[in-house]
Amino acid sequence: MAIPFLTDLASIMNVNEFAISVTYSRSGGLGTSVISGIFDNETMPVEVGGVVSVHQEQPRFTCRTADIPNISEQDKIIFSATTYVVRAWIHDGTGVTVLQLEKQ
């Protein structure tokens, strides 16, 4: 029996379910598009030496790999009047990519 992953992915990335719509802006003026995905801004502990740990926001955006075929550093994700710059990305091999962002 085939796993209905593409159907599940379409449901997960649906703005009426779990996702939000954002503007994806290519660096160098190569155009913009509206894509959907899941935004996460978890805080992570950062070692800076000393006794007390410091936490830093780690914004990420999970989307379909097909929506960002030519991704590059300096591309931007814009939503809710906030701009985030793409710093890294991880293609997981299943059609999903996680963008590691930095708030601009």
Side-chain angles (χ1 to χ4, degrees):
M1 179 178 175
I3 298 174
F5 183 72
L6 293 178
T7 303
D8 292 343
L9 185 57
S11 295
I12 292 168
M13 299 300 172
N14 183 333
V15 294
N16 294 320
E17 296 294 333
F18 303 105
I20 61 170
S21 290
V22 301
T23 300
Y24 172 60
S25 177
R26 297 287 320 278
S27 62
L30 297 176
T32 62
S33 60
V34 175
I35 62 173
S36 61
I38 298 170
F39 179 78
D40 179 28
N41 197 13
E42 181 179 7
T43 59
M44 302 291 289
V46 178
E47 288 293 325
V48 293
V51 179
V52 179
S53 63
V54 176
H55 285 73
Q56 179 179 9
E57 292 181 340
Q58 297 291 313
R60 297 179 298 184
F61 187 73
T62 304
C63 62
R64 296 181 331 139
T65 304
D67 290 341
I68 52 167
N70 299 307
I71 190 167
S72 64
E73 289 183 31
Q74 303 302 318
D75 288 357
K76 296 179 179 165
I77 297 289
I78 305 159
F79 75 97
S80 296
T82 304
T83 300
Y84 296 88
V85 178
V86 174
R87 294 298 182 202
W89 57 92
I90 302 166
H91 299 300
D92 74 357
T94 66
V96 175
T97 298
V98 177
L99 310 179
Q100 297 175 346
L101 307 171
E102 180 180 308
K103 190 174 183 180
Q104 191 173 33

